[in-house]
């Protein structure tokens, strides 16, 4: 997978509306069979990027290459993409089978072959028995699977997913995303996946492109963006973060004693912090007052209010929830637990 | 919610009944009078007879008028549907400056009294004979109201169609034109039928413009009826009117049945 040439390439892709920039000169290469998530808050340009690949938004600048072919100015219906829309956009007057067969008919696939491919997709997505139903006679989860089937049955060069799980309830969402990931890996589908949900992106992506205000902030594996975030935005958007800004490498701006090699902005993940009742012992430990504890089942979370006013977030074993709010406690960590955020000075 | 059993609820019921009587009363009078066995229009009808229906159906003036009206209303319905739907698509799918103003202008003929339109058009055609007199003029004039009627029905229908539908069709390989015909148009079907029925009924029942702009040779049914009502008030007029009401009723019921499928 690492040696193959990329399937989809975005080169300096930008979109501006008048004076506002929706997407700023973005470079991205998606390898064959790879699932890349475009992750960011609403308005970050992730959907605009996806729509540029599909051909519904014209780039102001840059190029899009699909399997080595420049498709930048190609109309949507000539591009070889299969998109799953957030609203699913199932054709309301067509049955499940007719919806799935739509793309095959447009491509002039002979009827017997089309019927066979539709049947295979129906079986793959466990939609047997629903072939003759209309979309409005299906549950949300079934509609979602029809939308996925309709996009996959044409074997597109790239699959585009626009928040495909956002209309499902929480319980269904997790099962569906695992199912989709399994399908994507088995069929070796090159996929671009738009989401605002960092947990969703972490769970099923090979790599995550974190976007903010039209800019690509970081591109990396879920581990990379979590463990070594490139910017303060990435650090706080992916997972939870305690950030220390230190000008001298000795203390943070709000007076917490640190022991770090260089000045800069440092990240301390909540799960790296331990809490005990012994007094503080110099750098990398700080005493405070327990403010809130929440039991999360698999673990617990605590907020420690420090003398400087900062709230330190701590995640640990369920026993953390035994602490009483108002009790004094000391947070500790080792210097290796601190990660320098390179994008900040 | 107000309970229908409360004293106020009874007032509401009474109001509803009175409103129905007020709205449907004239129709009832004319339909009842058409069955009268007298040589003049009488209400309540005296005797019971279908002879005025026989006479109306045998009268070549009414028959001719009916076919003129059918041609007129059919043409107006089809043209209104084409122009009105195209305008509605443009007004809902594209963003351009002055869109709201254009929408208001498109709908404005609906609020003009028919007589005002008729007089204005008569003056206009006198100065600029852009279309031959008779049916062509009448078709063009009826479009002034037929198109806004279609627009009025189709705008909300189009606004409810998910724009992602056409995008999905294009994404799957349909050209923009194919996408419209394969996906958007079928979603519009019930609306199209209602819009066409409205335009048809309007044109079929319209009097003022038909009187002012129609030719004597190709007089629509309403004009024939108007003439007859002035000359001899026999129950034939009532019989023809009753059949017109029946036609409108059939169209409305068919359209409702189609929409509720």
């Amino acid at each position: 997978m690492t040696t193959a040439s990329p399937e989809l390439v975005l080169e300096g892709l930008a979109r501006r509306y008048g004076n506002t920039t929706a997407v700023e000169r973005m470079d991205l290469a998606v390898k064959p069979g790879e699932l890349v998530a475009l992750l960011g808050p609403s308005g970050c340009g992730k959907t605009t990027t996806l729509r540029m690949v599909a051909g519904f938004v014209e780039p102001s600048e840059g190029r899009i290459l699909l399997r080595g072919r420049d498709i930048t100015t190609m109309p949507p219906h000539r591009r070889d993409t299969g998109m799953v829309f957030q609203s699913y956009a199932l054709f309301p007057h067509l049955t499940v089978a007719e919806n799935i067969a739509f793309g095959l008919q447009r491509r002039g696939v002979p009827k017997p072959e089309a019927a066979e491919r539709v049947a295979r997709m129906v079986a793959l997505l466990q939609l047997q028995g629903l072939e003759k139903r209309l979309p409005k006679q299906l549950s949300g989860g079934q509609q979602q699977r029809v939308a996925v089937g309709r996009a996959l049955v044409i074997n597109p060069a790239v699959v585009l997913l626009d928040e495909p799980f956002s209309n499902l309830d929480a319980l269904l969402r997790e099962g569906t995303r695992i199912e989709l990931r399994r399908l994507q890996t088995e069929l070796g589908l090159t996929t671009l996946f738009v989401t605002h949900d960092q947990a969703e992106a972490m769970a099923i992506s090979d790599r995550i492109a974190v976007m903010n205000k039209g800019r690509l902030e970081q591109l990396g594996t879920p581990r990379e963006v979590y463990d070594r975030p490139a910017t303060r935005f990435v650090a706080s958007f992916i997972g939870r973060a305690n950030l220390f800004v230190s000008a001298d490498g000795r203390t943070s701006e709000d007076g917490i004693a640190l022991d770090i090699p260089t000045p800069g902005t440092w990240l301390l993940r909540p799960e790296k912090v331990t809490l005990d009742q012994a007094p503080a012992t110099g750098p990398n430990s700080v005493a405070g007052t327990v403010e809130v504890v929440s039991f999360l089942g698999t673990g617990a979370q605590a907020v420690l209010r420090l003398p400087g006013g900062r709230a330190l977030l701590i995640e640990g074993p369920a026993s953390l929830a035994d602490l009483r709010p108002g009790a004094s406690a000391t947070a500790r960590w080792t210097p290796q637990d601190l990660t320098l955020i390179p994008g900040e000075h | 919610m107000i309970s229908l059993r409360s004293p106020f609820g009874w007032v509401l019921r009474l109001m509803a009944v009175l409103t129905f009587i007020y709205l449907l009363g004239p129709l009832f009078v004319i339909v009842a009078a058409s069955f009268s066995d007298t040589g003049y229009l009488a209400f309540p009808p005296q005797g019971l007879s279908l002879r005025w229906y026989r006479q109306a159906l045998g009268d070549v003036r009414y028959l001719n008028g009916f076919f003129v009206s059918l041609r007129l209303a059919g043409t107006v319905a089809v043209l209104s549907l084409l122009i009105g739907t195209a305008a509605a698509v443009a007004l809902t799918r594209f963003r351009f400056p002055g869109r709201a103003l254009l929408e208001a202008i498109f709908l404005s003929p609906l609020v003009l009294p028919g007589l005002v339109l008729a007089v204005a058009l008569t003056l206009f055609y006198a100065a600029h004979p852009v279309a031959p007199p008779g049916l062509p003029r009448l078709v063009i004039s009826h479009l002034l109201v037929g198109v806004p009627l279609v627009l009025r029905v189709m705008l909300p229908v189009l606004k409810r169609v998910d724009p992602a539908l056409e995008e999905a069709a294009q994404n799957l390989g349909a050209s923009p034109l194919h996408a419209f015909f394969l996906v958007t148009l079928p979603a519009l079907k019930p609306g199209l039928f209602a819009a066409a029925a409205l335009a048809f009924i309007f044109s079929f029942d319209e009097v003022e413009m038909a009187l002012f702009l129609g030719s004597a040779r190709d007089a629509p049914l309403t004009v024939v009826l108007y003439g007859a009502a002035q000359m001899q008030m026999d129950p034939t007029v009532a019989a023809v009117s009753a059949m017109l009401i029946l036609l409108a009723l059939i169209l409305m019921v068919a359209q409702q049945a189609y929409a509720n499928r």
Side-chain angles (χ1 to χ4, degrees):
Chain A
M1 197 168 92
T2 44
T3 52
S5 62
E7 194 90 326
L8 173 71
V9 179
L10 313 186
E11 271 179 19
L13 201 63
R15 173 69 213 197
R16 298 180 194 93
Y17 295 95
N19 283 330
T20 57
T21 301
V23 177
E24 187 50 73
R25 293 210 186 124
M26 174 160 164
D27 292 299
L28 179 68
V30 185
K31 290 170 252 176
E34 192 184 25
L35 191 156
V36 173
L38 297 174
L39 172 68
S42 60
C44 72
K46 56 191 193 296
T47 300
T48 307
T49 305
L50 194 78
R51 291 174 63 78
M52 283 197 277
V53 177
F56 299 129
V57 173
E58 203 182 317
S60 309
E61 214 179 289
R63 294 203 302 164
I64 305 167
L65 303 171
L66 187 57
R67 289 189 171 154
R69 231 164 28 129
D70 188 335
I71 61 162
T72 316
T73 56
M74 200 178 272
H77 65 281
R78 300 244 171 78
R79 301 185 180 200
D80 196 10
T81 70
M83 182 152 168
V84 177
F85 290 78
Q86 185 170 13
S87 65
Y88 308 145
L90 297 179
F91 307 133
H93 61 295
L94 298 182
T95 63
V96 168
E98 288 165 345
N99 262 284
I100 297 177
F102 190 93
L104 297 173
Q105 282 165 358
R106 296 293 99 216
R107 280 164 171 68
V109 174
K111 268 206 172 143
E113 190 198 329
E116 194 198 303
R117 281 167 74 174
V118 169
R120 221 181 313 145
M121 195 48 71
V122 163
L124 202 60
L125 293 165
Q126 289 156 5
L127 289 164
Q128 296 101 322
L130 304 174
E131 294 94 333
K132 296 220 154 57
R133 297 244 187 119
L134 290 173
K136 64 178 175 202
Q137 298 167 312
L138 301 178
S139 72
Q142 292 166 339
Q143 288 182 9
Q144 198 259 7
R145 277 181 278 152
V146 176
V148 169
R150 190 177 67 175
L152 297 194
V153 77
I154 57 175
N155 284 328
V158 62
V159 177
L160 307 174
L161 307 173
D162 185 8
E163 303 264 10
F165 310 115
S166 63
N167 284 326
L168 302 174
D169 59 59
L171 211 63
L172 197 56
R173 200 178 302 164
E174 268 184 47
T176 311
R177 78 183 182 208
I178 292 167
E179 198 52 33
L180 190 73
R181 173 60 159 167
R182 189 182 61 80
L183 206 65
Q184 182 265 336
T185 330
E186 268 174 27
L187 302 175
L189 301 165
T190 310
T191 308
L192 203 55
F193 164 46
V194 159
T195 180
H196 66 274
D197 183 337
Q198 53 101 8
E200 202 167 277
M202 299 268 273
I204 64 170
S205 310
D206 292 308
R207 286 190 296 159
I208 300 177
V210 187
M211 295 182 72
N212 186 34
K213 293 179 182 157
R215 209 171 275 283
L216 178 60
E217 297 250 335
Q218 188 174 7
L219 177 65
T221 64
R223 268 221 100 98
E224 280 164 3
V225 292
Y226 186 79
D227 289 341
R228 295 196 301 280
T231 64
R232 181 194 283 252
F233 172 81
V234 176
S236 10
F237 194 75
I238 313 264
R240 289 162 200 284
N242 296 300
L243 294 169
F244 300 103
V245 182
S246 174
D248 56 5
R250 302 251 142 259
T251 55
S252 70
E253 276 177 347
D254 52 352
I256 297 160
L258 301 167
D259 180 16
I260 44 179
T262 58
T265 301
W266 292 79
L267 163 70
L268 178 63
R269 290 290 183 194
E271 70 274 13
K272 307 278 192 188
V273 188
T274 59
L275 212 53
D276 60 51
Q277 314 256 252
T281 52
N284 302 317
S285 68
V286 59
T289 314
V290 176
E291 197 166 83
V292 185
V293 290
S294 12
F295 176 61
L296 301 175
T298 51
Q301 234 174 40
V303 174
L304 193 69
R305 185 63 65 178
L306 304 186
R310 161 206 290 271
L312 195 71
L313 193 65
I314 299 136
E315 275 171 21
S319 59
L320 214 54
D322 297 338
L323 289 165
R324 289 286 131 245
S328 299
T330 302
R332 280 173 225 281
W333 58 89
T334 63
Q336 300 89 279
D337 293 332
L338 287 162
T339 313
L340 181 67
I341 297 176
E344 310 285 324
H345 310 289
Chain B
M1 273 294 278
I2 299 158
S3 162
L4 280 180
R5 291 186 189 287
S6 72
F8 188 64
W10 283 107
V11 174
L12 274 184
R13 284 183 183 200
L14 189 68
M15 288 293 289
V17 171
L18 288 176
T19 307
F20 271 115
I21 291 174
Y22 178 71
L23 287 176
L24 299 178
L27 300 187
F28 176 72
V29 170
I30 205 80
V31 172
S34 71
F35 292 109
S36 181
D37 199 14
T38 50
Y40 48 91
L41 271 177
F43 185 83
Q46 291 151 25
L48 194 65
S49 161
L50 283 175
R51 70 180 158 117
W52 302 113
Y53 283 86
R54 223 175 299 127
Q55 179 145 344
L57 291 171
D59 191 324
V60 87
R61 284 174 308 154
Y62 287 126
L63 230 49
N64 189 44
F66 174 78
F67 286 115
V68 169
S69 284
L70 210 57
R71 263 194 2 246
L72 171 66
T75 315
V76 168
V78 170
L79 290 180
S80 298
L81 202 58
L82 288 176
I83 302 168
T85 307
V89 169
L91 284 171
T92 45
R93 285 288 180 275
F94 309 115
R95 302 259 152 255
F96 49 87
R99 203 182 56 83
L101 181 72
L102 199 64
E103 190 175 321
I105 292 174
F106 264 120
L107 294 174
S108 61
L110 288 181
V111 299
L112 281 182
L115 196 60
V116 173
L117 271 177
V119 171
L121 284 164
T122 309
L123 292 175
F124 174 79
Y125 284 126
H128 312 278
V130 286
L135 269 191
R137 263 185 203 184
L138 211 43
V139 167
I140 292 173
S141 310
H142 277 186
L143 285 179
L144 275 181
V145 179
V147 170
L149 278 175
V150 170
L151 207 54
R152 174 123 230 122
V153 176
M154 294 314 291
L155 275 177
V157 175
L158 267 159
K159 279 174 189 162
R160 254 184 291 127
V161 176
D162 184 359
L165 282 184
E166 267 180 52
E167 288 181 352
Q170 288 185 35
N171 179 255
L172 293 166
S175 67
L177 202 66
H178 270 137
F180 178 79
F181 281 106
L182 288 172
V183 172
T184 309
L185 209 56
L188 299 180
K189 253 193 205 157
L192 289 173
F193 198 86
L198 266 181
F200 184 92
I201 292 172
F202 156 76
S203 175
F204 204 94
D205 290 352
E206 202 277 339
V207 189
E208 292 99 335
M209 289 190 239
L211 263 178
F212 276 70
L213 301 164
S215 69
R217 197 164 49 86
D218 280 340
L221 188 55
T222 47
V223 172
V224 177
L225 215 51
Y226 183 80
Q230 286 193 320
M231 308 288 266
Q232 87 265 25
M233 265 305 238
D234 70 21
T236 327
V237 176
V240 174
S241 304
M243 287 190 276
L244 274 183
I245 293 166
L246 186 67
L247 181 74
L249 197 70
I250 289 170
L251 268 175
M252 292 314 263
V253 170
Q255 179 256 310
Q256 273 301 320
Y258 185 80
N260 294 339
R261 252 180 344 151

